[in-house]
Amino acid sequence: MYARRMDHLPPYLFARIDAMKANKLSQGVDVIDLGVGDPDLPTPDHIVEALCTAARDPETHHYPSYTGMIEYRKAVAAWYRSRFGVDLDPQSEVLALIGSKEGIAHIPEAFVNPGEYVLATDPGYPVYKTSTLFSEGRLYEMPIAAENGFLPVLDDIPADVLRQAALMFINYPNNPTAAVAPRSFFEEVVEFAREHGIVVVHDNAYSEITFDGYRAPSFLEIDGAMEVGIEMHSLSKTYNMTGWRIGMACGSAEIVAGLGRVKTNVDSGAFDAIQHAAITALSGPQDCIGQACNIYRERRDLLVAGLREIGFDVQPPKATFYVWAAVEDSIAAAARLLDEAGIVATPGIGFGTNGEGYVRFAITRSLERIREAVDRMGRVSL
Ligand SMILES: *Cc1c(COP(=O)(O)O)cnc(C)c1O
């Protein structure tokens, strides 16, 4: 009944973890879920108010524009200017997305011919792989490992892959490893993309979730990046708006236009009222971001200290709301955490074969719950 490509979809580990969690909950276990990469904090009030006001205006009730309201695209351009010093033409270099996942899922359709390679980091956000599969491209997994700061080694990519490579996904600050990339890495990527004619898609979903004075750059800050690439960004993590489904693709006009042409044929844009609220988010007071980061930092420090005390090898991340902790066997560790401590953590192998040897903890739970999680972990054999 199903098309053959469905057979190639990776076994959905996250669905299995959900089932295991549901099973524990039904047994009355007080489960602490550190698995989901979804902020527990609410969207700031002024953004919610802006949605309510906009939703009452019947003007917002029609089909939105395919590219996004020009006012939204101007607000994105203004935000990129003030945050990164990057100048974008709102008409041609900014496109509204229904969340950045949507852009990531659609972009290979525009740039990858069947059989051409997509380069994606492994471990990585699973959508890079599935979008490659749906576009009938071939995946080349660039391993990322602790000894290289979880950055891919571009020189290791075989020449025959490079000859047929069409697109590369990168993502720093990184999910799931929480690694950040130095500017020199982005410069290397621009050079490499130019040399091999590769479209670069940088996924910058976590640029605002940073700690200890670290400021994440935009890929588009790098000289030449605007010619070879595009950046997927999103309000989801920055303003606790994962449920709203609003993001943006910015960069090379030609690449933005290619993605736009695919989207015109698939979706009909993001709800105008949400775009109005997103304008308020991007152009209104930004102190909510620093407040959220302070909360995440306190949680990070508590979890990292607790994990170290019980013998985990962990580094405090400079960005993202994840802690990537080394373990012997990722599935066994996650199973024991759930069985013996009632804690959900994500086995690294769920993000790719090179994620084996790690579990990912999301610090999207209160300090009190994280303290409880640390206490429980100290009492089980890990
Ligand atoms: C959360 C996340 C996204 C998707 O966010 P949207 O809600 O679709 O904007 C994209 N990439 C990574 C790496 C993420 O963790």
Side-chain angles (χ1 to χ4, degrees), residues 184-261:
S184 57
F185 170 72
F186 290 125
E187 286 162 3
E188 198 191 330
V189 168
V190 168
E191 194 56 39
F192 187 80
R194 248 204 216 122
E195 190 182 331
H196 299 287
I198 297 170
V199 168
V200 178
V201 179
H202 181 238
D203 178 357
N204 209 2
Y206 294 95
S207 72
E208 305 315 293
I209 311 301
T210 63
F211 316 111
D212 311 331
Y214 175 72
R215 296 267 286 173
S218 163
F219 176 68
L220 303 176
E221 288 175 32
I222 308 303
D223 281 343
M226 288 287 295
E227 282 101 74
V228 297
I230 192 172
E231 186 157 85
M232 301 292 182
H233 214 307
S234 161
L235 282 75
S236 286
K237 315 290 161 62
T238 309
Y239 304 102
N240 310 322
M241 289 172 68
T242 48
W244 297 53
R245 314 314 304 135
I246 185 78
M248 59 277 208
C250 303
S252 149
E254 208 181 348
I255 302 175
V256 165
L259 176 59
R261 276 176 66 194

Side-chain angles (χ1 to χ4, degrees), residues 99-101 104 125 128 171 175 203 205-206 234 236-237 245:
S100 57
K101 179 178 182 178
I104 294 164
Y125 183 59
Y128 310 142
N171 162 227
N175 176 12
D203 178 357
Y206 294 95
S234 161
S236 286
K237 315 290 161 62
R245 314 314 304 135

Side-chain angles (χ1 to χ4, degrees), residues 15-279:
R16 243 176 70 205
I17 295 170
D18 277 350
M20 284 163 66
K21 177 187 165 186
N23 180 44
K24 285 285 163 196
L25 285 170
S26 74
Q27 293 165 12
V29 174
D30 171 29
V31 172
I32 303 176
D33 191 345
L34 305 179
V36 284
D38 186 354
D40 57 319
L41 307 168
T43 307
D45 271 340
H46 67 285
I47 303 172
V48 176
E49 282 306 321
L51 171 71
C52 295
T53 305
R56 282 193 197 96
D57 177 357
E59 277 300 306
T60 66
H61 299 175
H62 305 289
Y63 280 120
S65 92
Y66 288 115
T67 53
M69 290 167 27
I70 186 64
E71 295 83 355
Y72 173 66
R73 287 181 288 146
K74 282 182 175 165
V76 168
W79 185 78
Y80 258 80
R81 166 110 278 280
S82 73
R83 171 62 180 83
F84 299 115
V86 168
D87 281 311
L88 296 168
D89 170 17
Q91 283 289 356
S92 62
E93 294 171 338
V94 180
L95 179 68
L97 299 175
I98 308 171
S100 57
K101 179 178 182 178
E102 181 262 301
I104 294 164
H106 284 136
I107 197 156
E109 302 281 355
F111 296 99
V112 181
N113 289 304
E116 286 181 340
Y117 278 102
V118 172
L119 316 176
T121 49
D122 177 300
Y125 183 59
V127 187
Y128 310 142
K129 291 182 192 175
T130 46
S131 65
T132 302
L133 175 75
F134 286 133
S135 68
E136 322 242 299
R138 274 197 280 181
L139 184 70
Y140 178 80
E141 295 170 339
M142 302 181 287
I144 58 174
E147 61 263 29
N148 296 309
F150 295 106
L151 299 170
V153 181
L154 302 180
D155 288 341
D156 287 352
I157 304 168
D160 60 319
V161 169
L162 284 175
R163 270 193 295 278
Q164 305 170 74
L167 189 144
M168 172 193 276
F169 284 112
I170 50 173
N171 162 227
Y172 296 94
N174 184 259
N175 176 12
T177 66
V180 299
R183 291 184 82 83
S184 57
F185 170 72
F186 290 125
E187 286 162 3
E188 198 191 330
V189 168
V190 168
E191 194 56 39
F192 187 80
R194 248 204 216 122
E195 190 182 331
H196 299 287
I198 297 170
V199 168
V200 178
V201 179
H202 181 238
D203 178 357
N204 209 2
Y206 294 95
S207 72
E208 305 315 293
I209 311 301
T210 63
F211 316 111
D212 311 331
Y214 175 72
R215 296 267 286 173
S218 163
F219 176 68
L220 303 176
E221 288 175 32
I222 308 303
D223 281 343
M226 288 287 295
E227 282 101 74
V228 297
I230 192 172
E231 186 157 85
M232 301 292 182
H233 214 307
S234 161
L235 282 75
S236 286
K237 315 290 161 62
T238 309
Y239 304 102
N240 310 322
M241 289 172 68
T242 48
W244 297 53
R245 314 314 304 135
I246 185 78
M248 59 277 208
C250 303
S252 149
E254 208 181 348
I255 302 175
V256 165
L259 176 59
R261 276 176 66 194
V262 172
K263 281 173 55 57
T264 307
N265 290 286
V266 179
D267 65 64
S268 299
F271 183 23
D272 277 352
I274 290 179
Q275 293 187 59
H276 280 292
I279 294 169

